[in-house]
Amino acid sequence: MRIDIIAGARPNFMKIAPIIDAIRIRQLDGSKLSFRLVHTGQHYDKAMSGRFFEELNIPDPDINLEVGSGTQAEQTGNIMVRYEKLLMESPCDLCLVVGDVTSTMACSIAAKKLNIKVAHVEGGIRSFDLTMPEEINRMVTDSITDYFFTTSEVANQNLIKEGVDPKAIFFVGNTMIDTLLKNQSRFSQPSLWKDLSLKEKEYFIITLHRPSNVDEVNQLQKLLSEITLSAQQLPIIFPVHPRTRKTLLSANLSWSNLFCVDPLGYLEFNYLVKHAKAVITDSGGVTEETTVLGVPCMTLRTSTERPETVTMGTNELLGIDPSAIRPAMQKVFEGNWKRGIIPEKWDGQTAGRIVTALEKVLSV
Ligand code: UD1
Ligand code: UDP
C-alpha cells in the first residue's frame, strides 16, 4: 500500500517529518505501508524549504511539481494539473495532506477526483474567517476528506457539526509538536545571538506574513512602529518572510531596535523563541509552539483556527489594530502574562497514532 505524502510550504515540512519517521520505523517491523513524497514547489527558496529537509532529516522528495509562486488560482490550478498527471501515470492508494496551504487543497481535489482516498492531518480546524485563503483551503479539503486526523476536541466538534461520521475522525494530537519535542535538545544558538549580545528573556522575536498585515505598506509600518516603541529599547529579531520582504524593501522601513534577518532555520528559530521575552506573530504554527514552550505569544490576527492556544496556552489574540500592542507588551513587562497548559495529546506521539490508524484503514 503506497501513500502519497504532500508538502508544499514551510509549515508542512515540520508536520510531515515525524509521519515519515514513524512509517520508516513501522517498516522495520515489517509494515507494508510505503510512501512517495511529493513536494509541490509552492515554497522553493532554500530558507523556506530545502533547509528544513536537511535539519529535520526528511528524505529528498520523490517528485517535485515545481509550481512556484502565483495567484491563488494559478497556484491551485498548476498544482492540480501537475499532480493529476502524476497520479494518472503512477497512482497511489491514499493521498495524505497536512495543514491548510494551497498545496493541501489542490492535491486533495486532484486525488479525490481520481477516486483516491484522502487523509487530512490537522482536519477540522476553523477560523470562520473566509477572507483568509487558508480557511477556504480547510473547508474544501475537509469536504472531500475520508480520514481526519485532528489536533483538538474543538476540531472534532467542528467536523461533527458539519456532518462528518465520527468513525472517520481520529483525534491524534499535533505532529508539529512531535517535531518540536523531538528536536528541542538540538535547538541551536544563531550567530546573531553573539553579534547582537542577546540575553535570555531580554529580546522579542516577531514573524509576520499574513496578507492583511504585510501586503500594504501603511499597515506594516504602523504595526512595526508600535512594536518597536513598546519594546522599551529591547532588541526585536524579525526573520522576514519573503512575502513581507517585498513590502519592506518597497518602503525602505527601518527602526533602531528592529533587526530584520532572512527566515531562520527551524533549530535556530525555535532557540530564539524558547529564550525570548515574548513572541509577536501572525503565524498559526508559532502559536502552537509557544504554547508548548510556555513563551508569551501575541497574535496579530482577529481570529484563530487554533483556539486551544488561547484558551489553554500562552497565546492572546490582539487583532490587527496597532493600538492593542502597547497594553499587551506592558502586561509582558509587568510579568503578568498567563502561564498556560499543554493541550491533550500534544505529547510527541502523534505521528505513531496516525500510522497506526492508516494501517488499520488501509488493512496493511
Ligand atoms: C503560504 C500559505 C500560508 C502559510 C505560509 C507559510 C497559502 C494560501 N498560504 O503563504 O498559509 O502560512 O505559506 O509560510 O497557501 N516567495 C518567495 N520564495 C518562496 C516562497 C514564496 O519569494 O520560497 C514569495 C513569492 O513572492 C510569493 C510570496 O512569497 O508570491 C507568497 O508565497 P505563497 O506561497 O503564495 O504564500 P505565502 O504568503 O508564503
Ligand atoms: N519557522 C522557522 N523559521 C522562521 C519562522 C518560522 O523555522 O524564520 C517555523 C516555525 O517554528 C514553525 C513554522 O515555521 O514550525 C511555521 O510556519 P509559518 O509561520 O510560515 O506558517 P503557518 O504556521 O502560519 O501556516
Side-chain angles (χ1 to χ4, degrees):
M1 280 285 173
R2 187 174 66 180
I3 65 173
D4 272 358
I5 297 179
I6 309 294
R10 178 166 67 184
N12 293 165
F13 308 130
M14 296 79 190
K15 294 172 194 174
I16 61 160
I19 301 174
I20 289 173
D21 283 348
I23 294 176
R24 283 167 151 178
I25 290 169
R26 219 54 77 85
Q27 284 172 339
L28 293 176
D29 285 341
S31 173
K32 300 234 161 19
L33 199 60
S34 66
F35 68 90
R36 171 171 69 180
L37 179 53
V38 180
H39 192 322
T40 65
Q42 177 175 346
H43 283 177
Y44 42 85
D45 288 347
K46 178 145 199 216
M48 296 299 288
S49 173
R51 185 160 48 185
F52 302 111
F53 282 71
E54 290 164 14
E55 286 187 305
L56 303 176
N57 195 23
I58 304 170
D60 287 341
D62 296 293
I63 308 285
N64 192 324
L65 302 177
E66 294 181 343
V67 293
S69 301
T71 65
Q72 292 293 311
E74 281 166 349
Q75 239 176 13
T76 308
N78 286 335
I79 296 169
M80 284 180 65
V81 169
R82 293 178 195 197
Y83 185 47
E84 181 189 56
K85 185 163 182 284
L86 173 69
L87 286 176
M88 291 197 316
E89 286 163 2
S90 170
C92 64
D93 299 298
L94 179 135
C95 170
L96 181 135
V97 294
V98 299
D100 55 16
V101 301
T102 298
S103 304
T104 310
M105 175 185 73
C107 289
S108 64
I109 298 173
K112 192 68 184 173
K113 288 200 169 200
L114 291 172
N115 290 323
I116 293 169
K117 299 262 191 227
V118 173
H120 185 197
V121 174
E122 213 181 85
I125 63 174
R126 297 285 180 272
S127 67
F128 305 102
D129 177 358
L130 284 165
T131 65
M132 292 181 65
E134 294 83 359
E135 183 66 359
I136 298 171
N137 295 341
R138 290 179 201 115
M139 290 168 64
V140 173
T141 303
D142 283 346
S143 69
I144 51 173
T145 287
D146 297 277
Y147 309 113
F148 301 84
F149 295 113
T150 61
T151 50
S152 70
E153 191 50 48
V154 176
N156 300 339
Q157 291 310 317
N158 288 337
L159 291 171
I160 286 169
K161 276 184 216 148
E162 288 171 17
V164 172
D165 180 348
K167 287 201 214 68
I169 304 172
F170 301 84
F171 176 26
V172 288
N174 194 325
T175 56
M176 199 164 224
I177 302 308
D178 283 16
T179 296
L180 188 79
L181 297 177
K182 179 174 174 198
N183 290 289
Q184 199 170 180
S185 60
R186 299 175 60 226
F187 290 170
S188 62
Q189 192 181 79
S191 56
L192 65 82
W193 183 278
K194 290 210 169 76
D195 297 345
L196 299 176
S197 305
L198 297 183
K199 295 193 186 67
E200 279 190 25
K201 307 293 169 197
E202 289 188 31
Y203 65 90
F204 294 92
I205 180 154
I206 65 176
T207 80
L208 295 172
H209 67 273
R210 297 292 164 202
S212 56
N213 286 330
V214 308
D215 281 3
E216 210 258 310
V217 73
N218 270 340
Q219 171 67 3
L220 183 59
Q221 181 165 19
K222 280 192 214 150
L223 290 174
L224 293 176
S225 294
E226 200 52 49
I227 293 169
T228 48
L229 265 176
S230 16
Q232 302 189 7
Q233 318 291 332
L234 289 186
I236 301 159
I237 315 303
F238 186 13
V240 182
H241 189 283
R243 172 174 213 115
T244 314
R245 184 175 58 213
K246 280 195 207 166
T247 312
L248 275 181
L249 287 178
S250 75
N252 210 9
L253 302 174
S254 72
W255 287 266
S256 62
N257 58 339
L258 182 74
F259 299 95
C260 295
V261 295
D262 286 337
L264 290 165
Y266 181 81
L267 301 173
E268 293 189 339
F269 178 74
N270 280 294
Y271 181 95
L272 288 180
V273 168
K274 187 172 175 183
H275 298 293
K277 190 167 193 66
V279 174
I280 303 178
T281 191
D282 57 14
S283 160
V286 171
T287 65
E288 299 181 332
E289 291 163 346
T290 47
T291 277
V292 171
L293 294 173
V295 175
C297 180
M298 292 161 262
T299 294
L300 300 180
R301 287 181 48 193
T302 51
S303 63
T304 177
E305 60 290 340
R306 295 163 164 87
E308 59 285 349
T309 64
V310 176
T311 57
M312 296 185 214
T314 54
N315 183 24
E316 281 292 339
L317 275 188
L318 302 190
I320 59 168
D321 184 339
S323 66
I325 295 171
R326 207 169 305 194
M329 291 284 266
Q330 195 56 40
K331 214 163 29 158
V332 171
F333 277 107
E334 286 162 0
N336 287 334
W337 203 262
K338 60 184 175 178
R339 298 273 177 259
I341 54 165
I342 296 176
E344 190 184 350
K345 298 195 186 181
W346 292 21
D347 58 1
Q349 306 301 320
T350 296
R353 293 184 197 113
I354 291 174
V355 175
T356 300
L358 286 173
E359 286 176 332
K360 199 166 148 208
V361 298
L362 293 170
S363 308
V364 290

